[in-house]
Amino acid sequence: GKSLCEHDMAGTARDILAQAQTNGCRIILPVDAVVAKEFAAGADNRTIPVDQIEADEMMLDVGPKSVAEACASFDEAATVVWNGPIGVFEFEKFAQGTKEIADALADSDATSIIGGGDSAAAVEKAGLADRMTHISTGGGASLEFLMVAYNLLETRAGYINTGTWSEKSIKEAKLFGSVVEIASSKDQNYRYIPTGYSVPSDLDYVHLTSNNT
């Protein structure tokens, strides 16, 4: 249909799906959708399988089968990271998928990490913010921090060259309850950079520790 799509990233998406299959990681994709011909709160809509979307229609929410499959996955999840609403939750007609998934996540036993301004707003709108484990308005920064932390656990290394790490990402780490330690070399003593302070430009290494001090 005419949904927003980064066609130049199709190859990357296929590579991710292939890697997931190789590593036994299940990726849940929508099987049905709520579609409309215009982006408007009162637009006429219909719920159909994703392979039946017409060229002049756009996906504005996921359908009930997709919601049910996503919610069922929470039963086997220890942690859920949610980055981005499911549909156009600002329009009541297309907010159902986001609401139901937020409800299911709130009712689950999983640790729930909500990242991004729109995701945070959706959870707030649903009245479920106080039932989530952690909410951050930093969407990309949250994911970047989690990726770096994961890489540290994978390699069991104490240091990682920050490269293109942004100041915002380092601050975000502090918001997650971890201590951020950065130094200009592996041999130097750490310096602690509290949230809200500028990160000195001469520091090239970051070390994350999972305590709450």
Side-chain angles (χ1 to χ4, degrees), residues 52-75:
Q52 294 180 19
I53 299 175
E54 300 290 344
D56 61 347
E57 294 177 319
M58 65 183 81
M59 291 178 61
L60 297 181
D61 198 5
V62 293
K65 292 181 181 178
S66 300
V67 170
E69 185 175 7
C71 292
S73 70
F74 298 158
D75 294 336

Side-chain angles (χ1 to χ4, degrees), residues 80-95:
V80 175
V81 179
W82 186 1
N83 182 250
I86 306 304
V88 186
F89 73 97
E90 297 91 343
F91 297 159
E92 197 59 36
K93 279 189 174 183
F94 308 109

Side-chain angles (χ1 to χ4, degrees), residues 99-112:
K99 285 181 180 177
E100 290 188 22
I101 286 179
D103 282 333
L105 183 54
D107 289 338
S108 75
D109 294 326
T111 296
S112 51

Side-chain angles (χ1 to χ4, degrees), residues 10-205:
T12 300
R14 293 189 186 98
D15 289 343
I16 291 172
L17 290 172
Q19 289 179 36
Q21 185 173 16
T22 300
N23 290 282
C25 175
R26 183 166 63 103
I27 294 182
I28 301 173
L29 297 174
V31 295
D32 57 349
V34 181
V35 301
K37 294 185 177 182
E38 58 178 336
F39 187 86
D44 292 334
N45 61 86
R46 63 183 185 136
T47 301
I48 56 173
V50 293
D51 59 359
Q52 294 180 19
I53 299 175
E54 300 290 344
D56 61 347
E57 294 177 319
M58 65 183 81
M59 291 178 61
L60 297 181
D61 198 5
V62 293
K65 292 181 181 178
S66 300
V67 170
E69 185 175 7
C71 292
S73 70
F74 298 158
D75 294 336
E76 54 193 70
T79 302
V80 175
V81 179
W82 186 1
N83 182 250
I86 306 304
V88 186
F89 73 97
E90 297 91 343
F91 297 159
E92 197 59 36
K93 279 189 174 183
F94 308 109
Q96 193 61 32
T98 299
K99 285 181 180 177
E100 290 188 22
I101 286 179
D103 282 333
L105 183 54
D107 289 338
S108 75
D109 294 326
T111 296
S112 51
I113 299 172
I114 314 300
D118 287 339
S119 303
V123 171
E124 288 279 0
K125 184 178 178 181
L128 298 169
D130 60 344
R131 297 178 60 192
M132 302 299 173
T133 308
H134 178 82
I135 298 177
S136 171
T137 56
S142 297
L143 294 178
E144 189 174 356
F145 166 68
L146 290 173
M147 180 167 36
V148 171
Y150 173 78
N151 286 336
L152 286 174
L153 291 173
E154 277 285 286
T155 60
R156 303 197 181 279
Y159 302 86
I160 185 168
N161 193 311
T162 61
T164 58
W165 247 53
S166 66
E167 178 181 324
K168 182 178 180 182
S169 299
I170 295 174
K171 290 177 182 177
E172 190 71 24
K174 185 71 174 180
L175 297 180
F176 268 90
S178 295
V179 173
V180 180
E181 306 169 88
I182 52 182
S184 56
S185 76
K186 296 180 183 180
D187 301 322
Q188 288 187 344
N189 293 328
Y190 295 130
R191 278 187 267 173
Y192 293 84
I193 309 298
T195 304
Y197 284 76
S198 296
V199 177
S201 59
D202 64 322
L203 301 182
D204 299 319
Y205 291 85

